Amino acid sequence: MSIEHKKLLSVLVNAFPNAEIDLQDTVGDQNHYAVAIKDAQFHGLSRIKSHKIVNASLKELLDSGELHAISVTTSSP
């Protein structure tokens, strides 16, 4: 399965409405993505905790197999 860039970006924007989001399809197959999310809610959190927040927002897509792989980078402004 695969997921369109536009759909994945929409899910991320809905989950992180105040964030600066950079989403890239790393292989061009709509199966492998990298996302960088800059959001104040990540301030003071460990990398693991902030990544868990992002993964939780993508849980349905990951569990269904619609999203195969995503590399996550988080930061605060």
Side-chain angles (χ1 to χ4, degrees), residues 54-73:
V54 175
N55 286 341
S57 74
L58 300 172
K59 183 176 179 5
E60 186 177 312
L61 296 173
L62 290 165
D63 287 351
S64 71
E66 191 172 1
L67 176 58
H68 174 70
I70 189 162
S71 170
V72 176
T73 304

Side-chain angles (χ1 to χ4, degrees), residues 43-54:
H43 180 75
L45 298 181
S46 70
R47 182 182 310 163
I48 292 172
K49 186 148 185 154
S50 62
H51 286 203
K52 283 183 178 182
I53 293 169
V54 175

Side-chain angles (χ1 to χ4, degrees), residues 5-24:
H5 182 277
K6 185 171 133 178
K7 180 178 178 182
L8 180 53
L9 184 59
S10 176
V11 169
L12 290 166
V13 168
N14 285 333
F16 304 97
N18 299 315
E20 183 178 315
I21 300 172
D22 180 29
L23 178 65
Q24 301 295 319

